[in-house]
Amino acid sequence: RFTEVLGVLAASDDGVIPPWSPERLQALNNYAMMLKAAGDLPKAEVLYSRALQSAERLFGPRHPSTLTIANNLGVLLQALSKPLEAEQLLRRAFEGREESLGPMHMDTLQSLSSLAVLIAFLGKNQHAEDLHKRCLAGMEKAHGALHVKTLRAASDLASHQQSCGKQVEAEALLGKVLDGRKAVLGPRHQETICSLSDYALVLYSRAKYQEAEPLLRSALEGMRAIHGASHPDTLDCLGNLALLLQALGREKEAEELYREALVGKEAA
């Protein structure tokens, strides 16, 4: 596929394929995605920008293909710590998709979710929470309360509430997400294991140590099974369990886990 993409771009540069052709646009977009996946974000930005210009000329600024590229470029700019530029593109993508595809379309809701994350990054916490709630309501209406994407939207909202100090609201929502993921994905699925950890940590933040401990131990067991003992997520969970045991006054157990986490980090 990589060779095909470069071939189309070379043919376009040589004049064999018109510079504003759909083939060139597709090649630019594919190459940008490859570079992003490889971690070369600055080069991906250049190609996404060229692809956006091509899409605007080919299809117009409100076409779904143009809006998809605008959304992708906005997400990339956020990763490159260019939040103000990212906000312009993500708002454009969301508003355009809402107008052309409707408020309940998956692409519209995906843009809304991306915008909410960015707005939170900019420190506009109440606005971000409103957007997260709007996204969750849209997912529930479009797909139902137990759809995987609805549960992910609920988890995103809870995470934002937790970061804003709204632990009571976050606890209630994370409990529902955990129950939903167990029912839909099963108890050993990676997202269920993540929910176990998230719910345990919000309980820990509210000093509900006895309730949190078995959940965090189950999360650690699941992460070891999925990722292995030296994976960063496993080691983070191990460290969190050590903190919990320390809060419970079980210093010796906590020290053993701290040592295990240190050995794991050195091995990694």
Side-chain angles (χ1 to χ4, degrees):
R1 184 183 176 188
F2 181 67
T3 304
E4 292 175 5
V5 168
L6 292 184
V8 171
L9 292 176
S12 176
D13 292 337
D14 292 340
V16 178
I17 295 175
W20 303 108
S21 68
E23 292 85 358
R24 177 178 171 80
L25 171 60
Q26 187 64 49
L28 282 170
N29 191 59
N30 289 344
Y31 195 15
M33 287 192 294
M34 291 176 188
L35 289 170
K36 181 183 178 184
D40 195 343
L41 303 189
K43 286 184 180 178
E45 179 190 355
V46 172
L47 289 174
Y48 269 133
S49 296
R50 289 167 63 187
L52 182 58
Q53 291 175 353
S54 294
E56 289 170 339
R57 179 160 176 171
L58 277 167
F59 306 124
R62 311 293 282 184
H63 190 277
S65 295
T66 306
L67 295 172
T68 295
I69 296 171
N71 187 84
N72 292 343
L73 179 55
V75 172
L76 180 69
L77 288 171
Q78 184 179 356
L80 285 167
S81 299
K82 298 180 179 181
L84 297 180
E85 296 172 60
E87 183 181 2
Q88 290 181 344
L89 286 166
L90 290 176
R91 283 195 182 279
R92 172 184 169 185
F94 166 62
E95 291 169 1
R97 283 173 162 176
E98 186 175 40
E99 179 184 336
S100 61
L101 301 174
M104 296 297 110
H105 192 278
M106 183 55 67
D107 287 349
T108 305
L109 294 171
Q110 185 261 323
S111 283
L112 181 58
S113 176
S114 297
L115 182 59
V117 171
L118 176 63
I119 293 300
F121 177 79
L122 290 170
K124 303 173 184 178
N125 290 327
Q126 187 56 56
H127 184 28
E129 182 171 349
D130 292 341
L131 294 177
H132 276 301
K133 286 181 176 178
R134 185 175 170 186
C135 182
L136 176 57
M139 290 289 187
E140 287 178 339
K141 187 173 181 178
H143 304 291
L146 290 180
H147 191 278
V148 171
K149 292 185 178 179
T150 304
L151 294 171
R152 194 168 297 139
S155 180
D156 289 343
L157 172 57
S159 177
H160 177 71
Q161 289 174 330
Q162 195 170 6
S163 70
C164 294
K166 297 183 177 182
Q167 308 298 343
V168 175
E169 295 94 327
E171 179 185 343
L173 199 50
L174 287 172
K176 291 179 181 178
V177 172
L178 176 57
D179 290 342
R181 284 177 168 168
K182 282 181 178 177
V184 174
L185 301 172
R188 311 309 296 172
H189 191 277
Q190 183 172 339
E191 291 191 28
T192 307
I193 298 301
C194 287
S195 281
L196 269 173
S197 177
D198 292 342
Y199 189 46
L201 289 177
V202 77
L203 291 173
Y204 170 80
S205 73
R206 300 196 63 213
K208 296 183 178 182
Y209 305 136
Q210 300 291 348
E211 295 177 53
E213 183 184 354
L215 296 175
L216 206 50
R217 288 190 182 278
S218 294
L220 178 59
E221 179 186 347
M223 288 183 184
R224 281 172 171 159
I226 294 170
H227 300 301
S230 298
H231 190 277
D233 290 348
T234 306
L235 297 174
D236 285 345
C237 192
L238 189 62
N240 290 332
L241 181 56
L243 285 171
L244 175 63
L245 293 174
Q246 193 170 12
L248 285 167
R250 291 150 62 179
E251 300 289 344
K252 185 175 180 180
E253 293 176 70
E255 184 179 350
E256 291 175 356
L257 292 182
Y258 281 131
R259 287 178 179 172
E260 184 179 343
L262 180 61
V263 170
K265 288 179 179 179
E266 290 175 347

